[in-house]
Amino acid sequence: QVQLVESGGGLVQTGGSLRLSCAASGRTFSSYPMGWFRQAPGKEREFVAAITWTGGNMHYADPVKGRFTISRDNAKNTVYLQMNSLKPEDTAVYYCASDPSLYMVVRSPTYWGQGTQVTVSS
């Protein structure tokens, strides 16, 4: 069982930066791939980024490539999402997610956090 708690959301101006954190509990955190999703008002939840359990490989959705960076610290049971050059279209609730399978982490993860709001003002 994995429990996930996000933090770090807030209000930022266009072009600004935020770093989201996701604290995980559970003995298997360090062996699970992790991911971030987001859901904007009136839209479906979409994949943002994922990272393998070693941290050696990362995957990004096209809209965030070059602006967002996912990383993890297995010693702290935490995964991060550094978001730079933020745009109003990045406004959404951001969710941390996990699954034993990298294939599922980017599609339909088993474990979800409660979400944290990110609002980018124009």
Side-chain angles (χ1 to χ4, degrees), residues 30 32-33 51-58 70-74:
S30 61
Y32 279 17
I51 188 167
T52 55
W53 72 271
T54 63
N57 286 289
M58 288 73 76
I70 188 171
S71 61
R72 67 189 296 163
D73 185 338
N74 288 341

Side-chain angles (χ1 to χ4, degrees), residues 1-4 6 25 28 32-37 45 47 95-114:
Q1 188 75 11
V2 177
Q3 294 181 327
L4 307 170
E6 303 94 336
S25 62
T28 55
Y32 279 17
M34 299 291 296
W36 288 93
F37 284 70
R45 192 175 298 187
F47 168 75
Y95 297 90
C96 178
S98 182
D99 193 276
S101 163
L102 180 61
Y103 178 89
M104 292 303 293
V105 157
V106 302
R107 291 168 177 82
S108 184
T110 300
Y111 305 107
W112 292 90
Q114 83 289 349

